[in-house]
């Protein structure tokens, strides 16, 4: 999140068999057959199935649905202990 971009991996239907083969031996040194894209915001559209985002599950819906995902600026604040155990 430090660069303000989402790093989105996608896998097309034509790469399904290659992904299954890669999952059999992910430590082979070969790259996973996914496409990596960067975006400030991602919108996903679907119909007739459920969805899962992080630890949130959405029930199946019959009408077209959309979900927008993005990163908010300064949404996370990190606290780092100083020497001696006190926060700064």
């Amino acid at each position: 999140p430090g660069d303000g971009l989402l790093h989105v991996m996608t896998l097309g239907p034509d790469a399904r068999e290659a992904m299954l083969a890669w999952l059999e031996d992910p430590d082979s040194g070969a790259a996973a057959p996914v496409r990596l894209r960067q975006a400030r915001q991602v919108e996903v559209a679907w119909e007739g199935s459920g969805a899962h985002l992080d630890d949130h599950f959405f029930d199946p819906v019959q009408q077209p649905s959309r979900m927008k995902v993005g990163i908010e600026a300064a949404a996370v604040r990190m606290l780092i202990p100083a020497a001696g155990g006190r926060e700064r």
Side-chain angles (χ1 to χ4, degrees), residues 7 16 34 40 43 56 59 61 70 86:
H7 298 243
R16 185 178 198 280
V34 296
R40 296 203 181 282
E43 183 173 341
H56 301 285
D59 292 329
V61 293
R86 291 181 294 165

Side-chain angles (χ1 to χ4, degrees), residues 1 74-81 87-88:
V76 176
R77 183 173 178 196
M78 302 294 284
L79 300 176
I80 302 170
E87 293 179 1
R88 45 181 161 158

Side-chain angles (χ1 to χ4, degrees), residues 8-23 31-37:
V8 182
M9 284 191 288
T10 59
L11 179 71
D14 57 326
R16 185 178 198 280
E17 292 301 320
M19 184 64 178
L20 290 172
W22 182 84
L23 287 170
V34 296
R35 184 172 178 188
L36 178 61
R37 302 175 189 170

Side-chain angles (χ1 to χ4, degrees), residues 3-87:
D3 62 3
L5 297 172
L6 294 167
H7 298 243
V8 182
M9 284 191 288
T10 59
L11 179 71
D14 57 326
R16 185 178 198 280
E17 292 301 320
M19 184 64 178
L20 290 172
W22 182 84
L23 287 170
E24 290 292 325
D25 188 16
D27 296 325
S28 69
V34 296
R35 184 172 178 188
L36 178 61
R37 302 175 189 170
Q38 295 178 332
R40 296 203 181 282
Q41 186 177 58
V42 174
E43 183 173 341
V44 179
W46 75 97
E47 183 176 356
S49 65
H52 173 233
L53 175 66
D54 243 356
D55 58 352
H56 301 285
F57 291 87
F58 301 89
D59 292 329
V61 293
Q62 298 310 312
Q63 70 274 7
S65 299
R66 293 181 182 274
M67 179 185 304
K68 288 184 181 178
V69 180
I71 295 179
E72 295 181 14
V76 176
R77 183 173 178 196
M78 302 294 284
L79 300 176
I80 302 170
R86 291 181 294 165
E87 293 179 1

